[in-house]
Amino acid sequence: MVHIEEASTVQSVPRLYAITLADDGSPTQDKTYIRIPLFKGKVILRFILKPGSLAAGGRPTLYANYPVTGEEFERLKFHPVKFIKDPNLLHAYCDIVLDRPGAYEYKVEYTDKKQTKMANMGYVIAEPRIQLPHPTQQDELLPLDGLMILSMVPKWMGPITQWENLINEVEYAGYNMIHFVPLQKRGVSNSPYSISDQLAFDDDVFEEKDRQKSNEERIAIVQDAIAKLHTKHGILSLSDVVWNHTSNSTEFLLKHPEAGYNLHNSPHLVPAYELDTALIELSGKFEQVGLPREVRSSADADAIINYIKNNTLKEIKLYEFKVIDVTAQLDKIREVLKSRTVQCDPSLYQNISQSPVKERVALFGKDVVRDGHLGSRFHKSIDLSQAMSFLLAFNNISSLDQVSEDRVEDLVTSFQGLLNDYNMPLYEEYDEDCKIALDNIKGRLLFTRLAENGPKLGPISESNPVIESYFTRLEDKEKEHPEGSMMLANNGWIWNADPLNDFAGPGSNAYLRREVIVWGDCVKLRYGQSPSDNPWLWQHMRDYTELIASMFHGIRIDNCHSTPIHVAEYLLDTARKVRPDLYVLAELFTGSAERDNEFVSRLGIHALIREAMQAWDTHELSRLTHRHGGKPVGSMDEDMIWKRVPYEGDEHDEVLLIPVTHGSMPRALFMDCTHDNETPSQKRTAEDALPNAAVVAFSDCAVGSVKGYDEIYPRLLDIVNEKRNYDPNPQRNLGIIEAKHKLMQLHQKMCLEGYREVYVHQENDFLQVHRQHPGSQSGYLLISRTAFPGQGTGHGPIRLRKSQASFEFAYSLKIDDHKVKPSEYLNGLPSHLETLEPPRFEQRQDEKGDYVEVILPDNFSPGSICVIKTTIGDKYAEVRKMIGVMDHEVVKDLDLLATNVILYRCGSEEYDSTGGDGVYNVPNYGSLVYAGLQGFMSVLKPIIENNDLGHPLCDNLRAGQWALDYTIHRLEKYKEHYPSLERLINWFNERAALIRQVPDFLVPKCFALAIKTAYDRVYSHALTLMSPLVQHGDKFIHQLAMTSVQMLGQVPTAGLCPTKSTPSLAAGLPHFTVRHMRVWGRDVCISLRGLLMVTGRFEEAKQHIVAFAGSLRHGLIPNLLDSVRYPRYNSRDSAWFFMQAVQDYYYLSPDGPSILETPVPRRFRKDDRFIEVEEGYQDSSTIAEIMQEIMERHAHGIHFREHNAGPKIDEQMSDKGFNIDIEVDWSSGVLVGGNVWNCGTWMDKMGESVKAGNKGYPGTPRDGAPIEITGLLKSSLRWINQLIERGQFRWTSIENVKVSDETKTISYKYWNDLLQDNFERVYHVPLDPESDSQYDVITKIINRRGIYKDVYRATEAYTEYELRPNIFVAMAVAPELFKKEHAQHCVRLCRDVLLGPLGMRTLDPADQQYRPYYHNSEDSDDFKTAKGRNYHQGPEWLWPLGYYLRAAHHFDALSNQEIASVLREHRKYVDQNVWCGLPELTNKDGAYCEDSCTTQAWSSATLLDLFYDLIEGDQHC
């Protein structure tokens, strides 16, 4: 974590921004664009490929057009950067050092299935470093949000050499950058945005004496003046670039008409030109044709439109540019039919006569019709050969020879029908064009002649036509250019158009449909796709761009959304070569945030213009302020996510790691008013100018205004027609200049000093903006009273809790006269600032503590502002420092059981352990999943990442200290049994006392920081108590290992001993936690290796082994331990998972072999009688003796009826189900047991529904020899034989075993070899039916081949051939049983058949019994699924996955990368799951199962087993 007060030292630490890419190496959808602020230190951008991702596994290479080797930037040159890959964990990363600002692209190349693939492009903007524009502070950088920009129109400023007074005024007002509207030579319209010479400045920029100088000399004058702005006044400069059009009076158009869209290079525009010309000609004939020249009503407009529709359009026949001339083409066809001179092949169009008309017309257009010159009428013709082929086929004629003379006219008529069919949709398209064009002409006519806000153009004439002309018509006096070259399309814009589509290009009919809102003084420039398409234009605009970039610190892209994006990329690249730290600004009207981002990311735009004047009331202004104002007060992300970490390379010792958790949003330039906005006096009231400006100034982003706003200009100035200049001698006592001076000073101060957090509150016409420093929480509070007309007023008490306040300034804007005084210069309304008295600060107190109430003066009228400085003293700095640090001393004595109490404990565990307390409940959210710190952290994690301070938990924290009290209270309750908690309790008490001193708005942040500090320290400490494999593992291994801490705890009602409470392993949370349901034999034994041995918790593992060994009865380990009070022995597999656990302990534990001689107190006597606890524990055995007893009892056969059989122990089971039978099939060595009425393996769901009739019918009996039991038996036999060879097991055989009718001594070697020799025969189902005779199979009931049977010798033979994941338990523990090629095939097959997103399907989806949705509460009449009988008939269980992947690894059936790829979803799930574990099961395809445990012991355990095999090896198998 980063302490704000450490900012000075953090400045010297390299910053590493880490972006994690998607599976295929593309940026995730929310991170396609990120912006990275550069600073004076090193900035590193790291790209991370997650373990198991497609890209990580396929030899990934990053390609970036950032010049990584220091050469000059070229957009299309991508440099390779190799990823560094971890050989075990299989994640990959690569770093790029960013030290050059610009807009860059990257993509990842990788291989997948031997094919090279390229990921989607991502975009990175390295932001410019702007030097603070003041000579005395040259070493300090100005954050981009610290820019304060004033727009000025140079043609109103007078000659550049006389600007001094105006610039002094700008400097005094506090602006640090001037945006100059274009200074270039203007065209005939006099608009600064209609430039006639991009490489020359307009005459009015210069004094008379300088106007005669050369262009180079004039450029030097401007260059010198702009430089002086910076050096003398400390003001940066910015100017527009206008790239997508030029003035219609531009001289270069006479020499280079190809620079525009003309009728020669864009002949598709000819119909639009003819319509435009016709409308102009009509405009000169209105009186002649009886149309009103003055449009006084809508009826007048209708009369004009009807005339155009019924006369003009009919006269110009524009449909002739679309359709084919039927008469002309029929003549050609007739001639060919008569002369028979054309080769044709009707077989090309067989059955064309039966084709639907639409398909036939499309094919006819594609094959038969040929386009000519698009600017010609009836330019379409036919290919006679194709036409004849088509015609004959259409008439079912196979060759031209079959056409007799008397059929010629019939065929001509037929072809006429084909042509008419082809023309029909074109006529319909033409009709639609005309309809839309007429609608648009009418709309524009009404706006330009009648609308109140329109230009009211006056009488219609040829020079003032009915609608603006879409074309500029130039004269080619020298006849140098092809015909049509001098008729050029004017530029404009279209409502809701896709800005990436060229509306003047060949694919558009916008000009014909009159959809373009045209600028009649501007010609649209035609660049083409690259400089080679229009070399002169590209070079000219490059020269223009380089000129601007050489003079100004920034550029504003005019009409950015209409500028071809590839053109803007090219020109910006040239600009950045001139000035690398160029600031780029734009105004976008794309219609969507996604499209805005596309422009921003590709062009490297640093800010988008946002306008406060767009707000229609105070509430909307508050919304805009909230959006652009900054981070919310009390933000958590930087404090709690950013952290210093060691750097992997040699270049740096440590870096500040900044995870890129979200994609970037464009920065804002928030302007109180722009040069094309109406003013406050037009849209609101003049008085609103002050509060509007103040609210903008208090936003944590770049801010701006327009010259005249501060002076209270009454109206938007006409940038084209206004002739007056700004007053050359401005007065500072006018308008709001004095207030703006203070506001701008304050804006820059807050930006430089880091007041980044903002709180916005609005009531009626009162709008408060509180900027605060995240380190000290000192701040500045703006209280403004807006002056929107007709709004309500009033506000609640303004209270500053646990804070002090001091007055800064307060003003009210007074308008002295609403009429501007006549003047030769531009000026504003007579007005002045009234200085207001400071508010009263009254110290008060309520149930929440001390506060200051701010009472405003009575004359705080609409149009007033008050700025107050706030502080909470050094309190927060002290609190922040204390709660963000925890010494190791606090946790050093904690063991993992205490950690379980601190971090976890679900509701039932907490209730059981505390005598009735539960988990914390958050109003309007619900109960946390854990009582410990993880419960809070699971909720706080997304709050921290997203600064979601409106979350119900934050509301609860602000409302009171209950969560803090709860945290301390529960730890105190546990202290009696966990005395090591005392230091942590003291730590929390000390921090709680500090947190109670801070204002309530800071409590969520302080609470989160305290919880996270404690959580991180305890979590890290817990990992140090585990094995090196865990300690050195990645985040996912840590998460899996911490499942052992979740699951292993002590509760009063369950444990490993009937007479005292002991720690024990829960099967899963929240369902298997207390009393008899907590500890399951099978689950524990499967989980021991991963959760307790791989993690290094060997003592706890041994305790469980000894406890279960002591529960041995009938040669079996109980299914449910019930603290060894009333254990139940209905599980055939638990004993074998137990044997495997002992073997695992032997090999993995440092004292492994000693386990064999470990004494075991026996709960029951060896005669198997049930006895109460008081009578038990009279006998003792060693683990080795327990092992021998298990082997002997199974070899001799096990036959008994469960103790207390009946409803007392199982309400669902039928009577026969209580009979337990197990024996060895000595022909193969396998263990055969169970019956169709019980379910003695892990697939143990018993039918429960009376309604469906499945009560007492097991869902999956699996009677016979389940394959996993056979595998576990073989593993035990292999190990015992190894122990015998080492002299560590004193029994070599089992005596008195009944085999057929004989009694024999069976040696362990014999039994092992018997299994080895027969396994493939009895379990394998061969791929080739020809091989069936070599295996024990029933060919007619095989439904899938190349697999292994699930069971052998089942009562219902078909169940043997059900494909289930149990195979892989056997493969993992006894791989020697399997032929490698058979195993490989089976593993790969099951990847497709059984592998789900998280778990493994418990049954082949092709099986008739497959039912993948488990709903335990469903009591339908469906025998298969009612009451969840299908628990193991398709739902996807997670624990078999670990065995599957271990088997895949052992048999080289899947590569390590493929294994890692399987685990991608598991990593994601654990990260997002509030329980911080893997679930018991899911429904089909990973769907959530509400009846599943949300974190299950064995689900995590078997994956830890896998990681052990991957990293340490599986040599013990």
Side-chain angles (χ1 to χ4, degrees), residues 851-1154:
Y851 65 89
V852 173
E853 184 161 339
V854 181
I855 301 174
L856 298 168
D858 293 338
N859 61 347
F860 197 78
S861 56
S864 300
I865 65 167
C866 176
V867 175
I868 296 166
K869 185 174 185 178
T870 65
T871 179
I872 60 173
D874 298 330
K875 196 179 303 174
Y876 179 69
E878 179 189 357
V879 172
R880 172 69 183 76
K881 186 174 181 180
M882 290 290 289
I883 61 178
V885 175
M886 178 183 284
D887 292 336
H888 176 64
E889 289 292 312
V890 177
V891 299
K892 69 175 185 178
D893 294 331
L894 297 175
D895 60 16
L896 291 175
L897 287 176
T899 303
N900 166 265
V901 168
I902 297 165
L903 296 181
Y904 302 111
R905 296 277 172 152
C906 70
S908 52
E909 290 175 307
E910 188 76 359
Y911 188 91
D912 199 51
S913 300
T914 60
D917 291 349
V919 295
Y920 190 75
N921 182 274
V922 180
N924 301 315
Y925 174 80
S927 296
L928 305 184
V929 297
Y930 290 116
L933 301 182
Q934 184 66 67
F936 285 108
M937 279 305 301
S938 292
V939 181
L940 286 170
K941 181 184 173 186
I943 293 175
I944 292 168
E945 289 178 356
N946 302 310
N947 290 319
D948 182 13
L949 301 179
H951 191 280
L953 177 58
C954 296
D955 291 339
N956 179 251
L957 292 167
R958 284 187 288 266
Q961 304 288 331
W962 307 294
L964 201 54
D965 292 339
Y966 169 87
T967 301
I968 297 169
H969 171 74
R970 69 173 295 271
L971 292 176
E972 287 176 336
K973 270 204 162 188
Y974 279 107
K975 188 172 70 169
E976 178 184 352
H977 299 290
Y978 302 88
S980 60
L981 297 178
E982 183 166 4
R983 287 193 182 96
L984 182 62
I985 293 168
N986 293 339
W987 185 90
F988 266 116
N989 275 319
E990 290 166 5
R991 273 69 190 167
L994 292 170
I995 292 172
R996 290 184 172 94
Q997 298 175 33
V998 302
D1000 52 14
F1001 67 83
L1002 283 177
V1003 170
K1005 180 177 182 179
C1006 293
F1007 175 84
L1009 185 54
I1011 293 294
K1012 189 172 189 305
T1013 300
Y1015 174 85
D1016 287 347
R1017 174 60 83 175
V1018 174
Y1019 193 101
S1020 298
H1021 172 70
L1023 293 173
T1024 68
L1025 302 179
M1026 298 192 197
S1027 65
L1029 182 145
V1030 170
Q1031 293 179 41
H1032 300 146
D1034 69 354
K1035 179 182 178 183
F1036 185 51
I1037 290 178
H1038 292 169
Q1039 291 165 326
L1040 295 175
M1042 288 302 287
T1043 308
S1044 78
V1045 182
Q1046 286 176 16
M1047 298 295 168
L1048 184 54
Q1050 189 166 337
V1051 295
T1053 60
L1056 304 178
C1057 175
T1059 57
K1060 63 181 180 179
S1061 174
T1062 67
S1064 60
L1065 196 65
L1069 310 181
H1071 303 319
F1072 306 124
T1073 54
V1074 294
R1075 295 179 289 279
H1076 70 286
M1077 294 296 287
R1078 180 176 178 87
V1079 184
W1080 293 65
R1082 175 190 305 115
D1083 298 58
V1084 165
C1085 293
I1086 290 173
S1087 302
L1088 282 182
R1089 182 178 189 261
L1091 286 193
L1092 299 186
M1093 298 182 209
V1094 173
T1095 60
R1097 305 184 67 178
F1098 295 107
E1099 185 56 37
E1100 292 95 328
K1102 180 187 281 189
Q1103 291 166 4
H1104 282 76
I1105 288 171
V1106 170
F1108 275 100
S1111 69
L1112 188 73
R1113 183 168 171 238
H1114 304 293
L1116 298 179
I1117 296 296
N1119 185 20
L1120 279 169
L1121 187 65
D1122 189 24
S1123 302
V1124 213
R1125 291 182 288 252
Y1126 299 98
R1128 188 174 177 198
Y1129 296 87
N1130 62 334
S1131 165
R1132 288 183 282 136
D1133 57 357
S1134 296
W1136 300 106
F1137 281 115
F1138 168 82
M1139 290 287 285
Q1140 186 65 40
V1142 179
Q1143 182 183 168
D1144 292 334
Y1145 187 93
Y1146 175 93
Y1147 282 119
L1148 270 63
S1149 176
D1151 68 340
S1154 68

Side-chain angles (χ1 to χ4, degrees), residues 603-741:
L603 302 184
I605 296 170
H606 302 122
L608 296 179
I609 295 170
R610 303 301 187 211
E611 304 164 354
M613 286 308 299
Q614 294 300 323
W616 51 84
D617 60 14
T618 308
H619 178 73
E620 176 62 11
L621 182 59
S622 75
R623 189 191 69 81
L624 291 175
T625 308
H626 181 80
R627 182 175 179 183
H628 307 308
K631 286 187 168 185
V633 169
S635 290
M636 305 178 187
D637 58 340
E638 290 185 24
D639 273 353
M640 300 184 215
I641 297 177
W642 296 16
K643 57 186 176 182
R644 292 191 188 198
V645 298
Y647 186 63
E648 294 87 342
D650 299 329
E651 300 89 340
H652 315 289
D653 293 330
E654 65 174 5
V655 292
L656 177 61
L657 175 62
I658 304 173
V660 179
T661 55
H662 304 285
S664 299
M665 293 294 292
R667 291 184 188 269
L669 168 61
F670 195 24
M671 301 191 71
D672 50 30
C673 194
T674 69
H675 67 274
D676 48 11
N677 275 144
E678 291 183 315
T679 66
S681 63
Q682 288 175 284
K683 295 194 76 172
R684 305 174 188 171
T685 64
E687 288 82 357
D688 197 61
L690 178 58
N692 185 63
V695 165
V696 168
F698 260 68
S699 299
D700 185 31
C701 62
V703 298
S705 189
V706 61
K707 172 68 176 173
Y709 180 92
D710 297 344
E711 294 86 351
I712 320 299
Y713 284 9
R715 299 188 67 79
L716 167 66
L717 297 176
D718 186 340
I719 203 165
V720 174
N721 298 311
E722 180 60 64
K723 299 292 190 287
R724 291 172 296 168
N725 285 354
Y726 300 128
D727 187 342
N729 298 297
Q731 305 298 309
R732 292 179 182 173
N733 59 351
L734 296 177
I736 64 169
I737 292 172
E738 189 62 39
K740 187 62 82 77
H741 166 72

